[in-house]
Amino acid sequence: QVQLVESGGGLVQAGGSLRLSCAASGRTFSNHAIGWFRQAPGKEREFVAATSTSGGSTDYADSVKGRFTVSRDNAKKTVYLQMNSLKPGDTALYYCAGRLTAYRGRVYTTHGDYTDWGQGTQVTVSS
């Protein structure tokens, strides 16, 4: 199990960029696949991006492909979500989530795949 804390959210104009961080505590971080999800008011939580334990495999929602990049630094126990060309539709509470796995190349894209969740960081994109 890992404890996850997101940071880096804020208010940005459309077209701008933000970098979210997901800092983990726990000795098994390098064995955890990490995902990013978001939830806008009145909407269900949706998948954004995910990385495998090594960072060698990643996946993205179609809505963010080409604009967002997920990466991780296992030495720092941190996963990043670089968000460029932000749109008002990206406004949401962003969560990172972790899942212990023995499959180093696998990514997980479903909410139910993850067992550990952070509290979220708010991203607001103004038009």
Side-chain angles (χ1 to χ4, degrees):
Q1 185 177 6
V2 291
Q3 290 73 46
L4 303 171
V5 178
E6 303 93 337
S7 62
L11 174 64
V12 64
Q13 288 188 331
S17 297
L18 284 173
R19 188 177 79 158
L20 305 184
S21 297
C22 173
S25 60
R27 294 183 295 174
T28 61
F29 176 73
S30 61
N31 293 326
H32 279 73
I34 301 293
W36 285 96
F37 293 78
R38 65 187 182 187
Q39 187 166 19
K43 295 187 177 181
E44 293 186 353
R45 192 171 298 190
E46 65 174 357
F47 168 73
V48 175
T51 176
S52 61
T53 58
S54 66
S57 298
T58 58
D59 198 3
Y60 299 90
D62 288 343
S63 60
V64 306
K65 279 182 182 176
R67 300 189 298 124
F68 291 12
T69 302
V70 61
S71 61
R72 66 189 293 162
D73 184 336
N74 283 344
K76 294 183 178 179
K77 295 185 179 180
T78 303
V79 174
Y80 305 98
L81 184 67
Q82 178 67 44
M83 306 186 297
N84 299 328
S85 303
L86 283 161
K87 305 174 182 179
D90 294 318
T91 295
L93 188 61
Y94 282 71
Y95 299 88
C96 65
R99 175 208 168 99
L100 184 66
T101 179
Y103 300 100
R104 298 193 65 76
R106 183 168 176 179
V107 294
Y108 300 85
T109 62
T110 303
H111 175 272
D113 288 330
Y114 291 91
T115 55
D116 305 308
W117 290 83
Q119 295 300 306
T121 185
Q122 178 67 38
V123 172
T124 303
V125 184
S126 63
S127 57

